[in-house]
Amino acid sequence: MTTLLYVDDEETIGRVVSRYFERRGDRVLVARSIAEARGILGREEPDAIFIDMRLGAESGVELMDWIVREQPGCVERVTFVTGDLAVGATTGSCHGRPVIQKPFELAQLVHVVERAEPRAGT
């Protein structure tokens, strides 16, 4: 079973992602803010982490900066998602991590999750 964290302030998208992956048998953690995501990452070690670039007044990059400082073992597990066409449009990456453009196909997220290496003990 894979555990994934999906960070997005758009509740509907989080709910769709959660339902889809739970039906696949995966464990899904959803956060709607940086504070909520930090709390989850303080007690969980997800196999894959998806972070929306725009979290209301906050930025997914702020969360990534925190991950780099506080949870460096999770850096390689991060994939950004965004509806902002300018972000990652030419390189397909931000902070050296992949970017998936919204609207996305759930299969794009599945591809990332299936490539994730399960954490020890999961």
Side-chain angles (χ1 to χ4, degrees), residues 3-4 32 48 122:
T3 298
L4 66 104
R32 294 187 59 207
T122 59

Side-chain angles (χ1 to χ4, degrees), residues 53 79-82 84 87-89 92-94 97-101 108:
M53 295 293 293
T79 299
F80 287 103
V81 294
T82 186
D84 186 349
V87 176
S93 70
C94 178
R97 303 305 307 145
V99 176
I100 296 174
Q101 294 289 326
Q108 291 174 278

Side-chain angles (χ1 to χ4, degrees), residues 2-8 17 21 27-31 33-34 36-38 40-53 55 60-61 63-68 70-82 94 97-100 104 108-117 119:
T2 301
T3 298
L4 66 104
L5 170 60
Y6 189 82
V7 185
D8 196 322
V17 169
F21 281 95
R27 182 169 171 250
V28 183
L29 309 167
V30 177
S33 69
I34 289 176
E36 199 174 340
R38 286 178 182 165
I40 291 169
L41 289 169
R43 63 183 184 274
E44 300 279 347
E45 295 184 5
D47 303 303
I49 303 168
F50 297 96
I51 303 172
D52 188 14
M53 295 293 293
L55 300 166
V61 174
L63 177 56
M64 183 63 174
D65 290 340
W66 180 87
I67 290 170
V68 167
E70 303 295 329
Q71 300 287 339
C74 291
V75 169
E76 294 298 315
R77 299 179 183 278
V78 172
T79 299
F80 287 103
V81 294
T82 186
C94 178
R97 303 305 307 145
V99 176
I100 296 174
F104 52 76
Q108 291 174 278
L109 303 186
V110 169
H111 179 71
V112 172
V113 169
E114 288 180 346
R115 289 188 0 232
E117 294 181 26
R119 304 290 288 185

